[in-house]
C-alpha cells in the first residue's frame, strides 16, 4: 500500500479534484435526476481503471529494471537536475551504482534515482 501511495499519490489527488468537479456539475439544476449517481459511478470507474493500469505498468517496469541491473545491464534514468545538458544518466553496477530497495545510489553522483523513473537500455 505504501508503494501505491508513493507512486500514485499525485494521480489520486488529481482524481479527487475531478470527482469534486463531477459532483459540482451533476448537482446543477439543469442536469437530469440520475446524473449524480451515473456521473460519479462512471467517472470513478474510469479513474480507478486508469490509475490501476498505470500502477501495474510502473511496477512491472520497476521489476524489469531491478532484474536487468542485477544482471549487469545498463539502466537509463531521467535527470531532472540538469534539463539543458544531460537529460538522462546511465546507471551500471560497474560504475559504482548500487540498488537499495527501489532507489539507485552512487557515491560519485549527488542524487539518487527511483526505479520508477528508469528504463533498461
Amino acid at each position: 500500500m505504501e508503494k501505491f501511495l508513493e507512486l500514485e499519490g499525485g494521480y489520486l489527488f488529481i482524481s479527487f479534484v475531478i470527482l469534486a468537479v463531477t459532483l459540482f456539475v451533476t448537482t446543477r439544476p439543469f442536469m437530469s435526476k440520475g446524473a449524480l449517481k451515473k456521473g460519479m459511478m462512471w467517472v470513478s470507474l474510469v479513474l480507478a481503471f486508469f490509475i490501476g493500469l498505470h500502477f501495474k505498468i510502473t511496477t512491472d517496469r520497476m521489476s524489469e529494471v531491478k532484474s536487468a541491473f542485477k544482471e549487469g545491464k545498463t539502466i537509463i534514468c531521467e535527470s531532472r537536475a540538469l534539463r539543458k545538458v544531460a537529460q538522462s544518466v546511465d546507471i551500471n553496477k560497474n560504475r559504482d551504482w548500487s540498488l537499495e530497495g527501489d532507489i539507485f545510489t552512487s557515491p560519485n553522483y549527488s542524487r539518487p534515482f527511483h526505479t520508477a523513473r528508469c528504463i533498461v537500455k
Side-chain angles (χ1 to χ4, degrees), residues 68-111:
F69 179 76
K70 290 176 184 174
E71 294 172 7
K73 295 180 181 177
T74 302
I75 308 299
I76 300 172
C77 292
E78 76 172 321
S79 175
R80 294 183 179 178
L82 302 170
R83 281 298 211 187
K84 295 182 181 179
V85 181
Q87 292 187 357
S88 63
V89 174
D90 289 346
I91 293 176
N92 197 310
K93 276 185 178 182
N94 301 334
R95 297 183 189 148
D96 295 330
W97 284 92
S98 62
L99 180 61
E100 299 167 8
D102 291 331
I103 307 293
F104 288 114
T105 57
S106 172
N108 303 325
Y109 201 78
S110 61
R111 63 179 292 247

Side-chain angles (χ1 to χ4, degrees), residues 41-80:
M41 180 185 70
W42 285 108
V43 171
S44 297
L45 285 173
V46 168
L47 291 172
F49 172 75
F50 282 118
I51 289 173
L53 182 66
H54 183 265
F55 181 70
K56 173 79 170 114
I57 290 169
T58 302
T59 53
D60 288 348
R61 187 179 65 245
M62 286 170 62
S63 59
E64 179 185 348
V65 165
K66 286 180 186 179
S67 63
F69 179 76
K70 290 176 184 174
E71 294 172 7
K73 295 180 181 177
T74 302
I75 308 299
I76 300 172
C77 292
E78 76 172 321
S79 175
R80 294 183 179 178

